[in-house]
């Protein structure tokens, strides 16, 4: 009887391992497909940037270049005014990130840590802001910026960037702030700390993971944004990085290789930062759920 039970248990164990192996194989296959579909466009763009116009127009998308055209990158940096557009993008993105962090942190702190009956309604108001399509705001913003005389200035894109990035930042930070134990604040109040001291010396220092997540997501969303910048900016002095592509398009010819090189140079900061800090993004997104 015991031998039969042992044999049955062994068979059941082997069957469960087989099912487990099959399910794991299916998961690996799905992950491999997702990895290839996400990585291939980047590899294709990289190969594209080293080709001549003739190779690009030949339609051989998977072929390697016969001769690697490093001159495309030289043309992208020199002819595409890369450094000027890069400086403008860095300036706009940095101002936006700082403003979003400051505003969203203070709003999230007030919503999650103050005991007032309208806190959840304010949070809901910010969450509704996430549902507004960007395209529906272009005409009203155009009229508004023209009336206050900031159209075709850096502020005409910085202010909308802040407005569109703040709701998701408030959502992330408020979720984390709500998970902070009340005993920490109570101890600080007993020691004589005020609201501002609690916010700057206690809450913000322990909120580095979600703050980093907000910084990275804001950077990724703003860096290559084109619609708002194309709508509100016409001056060459303050155009951002996506506009550099048009430097290689003339009336009679297009330098496709230089365009590819410029796109690689423009996307490189986002890709590098994301791969270096992807773990921090994940930790920041789940910090509020697992903290306490």
């Amino acid at each position: 009887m015991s031998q039969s039970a042992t044999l049955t248990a062994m068979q059941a164990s082997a069957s469960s391992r087989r099912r487990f192996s099959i399910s794991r194989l299916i998961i690996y296959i799905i992950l491999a497909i997702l990895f290839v579909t996400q990585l291939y466009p980047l590899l294709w763009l990289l190969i594209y940037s080293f080709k001549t116009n003739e190779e690009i127009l030949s339609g051989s998308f998977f072929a390697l270049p016969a001769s690697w055209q490093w001159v495309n990158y030289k043309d992208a940096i020199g002819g595409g005014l890369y450094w000027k557009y890069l400086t403008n993008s860095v300036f706009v993105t940095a101002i936006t990130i700082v403003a979003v962090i400051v505003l969203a942190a203070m709003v999230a702190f007030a919503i999650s840590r103050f005991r007032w009956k309208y806190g959840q309604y304010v949070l809901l108001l910010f969450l509704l802001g996430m549902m507004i399509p960007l395209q529906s705001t272009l005409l009203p913003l155009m009229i508004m910026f023209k009336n206050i005389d900031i159209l075709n200035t850096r502020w005409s894109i910085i202010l909308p960037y802040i407005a569109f990035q703040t709701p998701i930042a408030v959502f992330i930070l408020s979720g984390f702030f709500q998970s902070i134990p009340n005993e920490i604040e109570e101890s600080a109040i007993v020691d004589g700390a005020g609201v501002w001291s609690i916010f700057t010396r206690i809450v913000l220092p322990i909120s580095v993971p979600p703050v980093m997540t907000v910084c990275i997501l804001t950077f990724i969303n703003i860096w290559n944004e084109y619609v708002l910048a194309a709508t509100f900016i016409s001056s060459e002095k303050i155009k951002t990085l996506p506009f550099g592509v048009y430097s290689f398009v003339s009336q009679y010819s297009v330098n496709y290789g230089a365009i590819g090189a410029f796109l690689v140079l423009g996307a490189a900061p986002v890709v590098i930062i994301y791969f270096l800090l992807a773990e921090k993004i994940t930790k920041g997104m789940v910090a509020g759920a697992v903290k306490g």
Side-chain angles (χ1 to χ4, degrees):
M1 188 69 178
S2 59
Q3 291 180 351
S4 176
T6 302
L7 182 61
T8 302
M10 292 176 62
Q11 291 175 346
S13 176
S15 177
S16 83
R17 283 198 301 269
R18 192 180 302 111
R19 288 196 300 270
F20 179 74
S21 300
I22 294 174
S23 62
R24 174 177 289 186
L25 178 62
I26 294 173
I27 292 174
Y28 284 160
I29 292 174
I30 295 174
L31 291 177
I33 294 173
L34 291 175
F35 177 78
V36 171
T37 55
Q38 296 299 316
L39 188 62
Y40 171 73
L42 297 177
L43 294 177
W44 177 84
L45 179 61
L46 184 63
I47 296 173
Y48 179 99
S49 66
F50 286 103
K51 290 184 176 182
T52 62
N53 277 4
E54 291 74 15
E55 290 174 324
I56 293 171
L57 295 176
S58 67
S60 55
F61 299 107
F62 299 96
L64 293 176
S67 176
W68 297 81
Q69 301 296 314
W70 291 98
V71 69
N72 289 340
Y73 283 85
K74 181 180 178 181
D75 294 339
I77 294 175
L81 302 176
Y82 175 77
W83 296 115
K84 183 178 75 173
Y85 292 133
L86 178 66
T87 302
N88 292 334
S89 291
V90 169
F91 178 82
V92 170
T93 305
I95 296 296
T96 303
I97 290 175
V98 172
V100 168
I101 290 298
V102 172
L103 294 175
M106 291 192 292
V107 172
F109 181 74
I111 292 174
S112 58
R113 308 307 295 179
F114 290 0
R115 294 181 177 87
W116 55 307
K117 61 181 180 180
Y118 298 110
Q120 294 303 314
Y121 294 104
V122 174
L123 177 60
L124 178 61
L125 184 63
F126 276 93
L127 295 181
L128 289 175
M130 299 169 58
M131 304 178 187
I132 300 176
L134 182 147
Q135 292 79 5
S136 66
T137 66
L138 295 180
L139 182 57
L141 288 175
M142 174 75 75
I143 298 173
M144 186 187 306
F145 292 159
K146 184 177 181 180
N147 291 335
I148 62 178
D149 199 24
I150 64 170
L151 192 64
N152 197 28
T153 67
R154 290 190 176 94
W155 291 110
S156 63
I157 57 175
I158 291 176
L159 293 178
Y161 288 165
I162 295 173
F164 279 104
Q165 296 303 314
T166 298
I168 184 63
V170 171
F171 174 72
I172 295 173
L173 293 178
S174 61
F176 181 84
F177 289 169
Q178 288 175 356
S179 68
I180 299 176
N182 293 326
E183 290 77 7
I184 297 178
E185 291 183 22
E186 294 172 357
S187 300
I189 293 173
V190 170
D191 293 337
V195 174
W196 183 251
S197 296
I198 294 173
F199 174 67
T200 56
R201 298 183 179 181
I202 297 176
V203 174
L204 283 184
I206 64 178
S207 304
V208 173
V211 169
M212 286 295 299
T213 299
V214 171
C215 290
I216 297 167
L217 292 179
T218 303
F219 174 82
I220 292 173
N221 291 332
I222 295 302
W223 186 254
N224 288 321
E225 197 284 325
Y226 179 79
V227 175
L228 289 175
T231 304
F232 300 136
I233 290 181
S234 59
S235 174
E236 286 291 334
K237 295 181 179 179
I238 57 176
K239 285 184 177 180
T240 51
L241 208 55
F243 289 92
V245 172
Y246 293 102
S247 303
F248 310 101
V249 180
S250 64
Q251 184 177 0
Y252 301 105
S253 64
V254 179
N255 190 344
Y256 294 105
I259 290 177
F262 194 91
L263 292 175
V264 170
L265 293 173
V270 177
V271 174
I272 293 172
I273 289 177
Y274 182 82
F275 277 105
L276 290 178
L277 303 177
E279 185 177 355
K280 292 185 179 295
I281 296 178
T282 305
K283 288 182 178 180
M285 293 295 290
V286 302
V290 302
K291 184 82 175 177

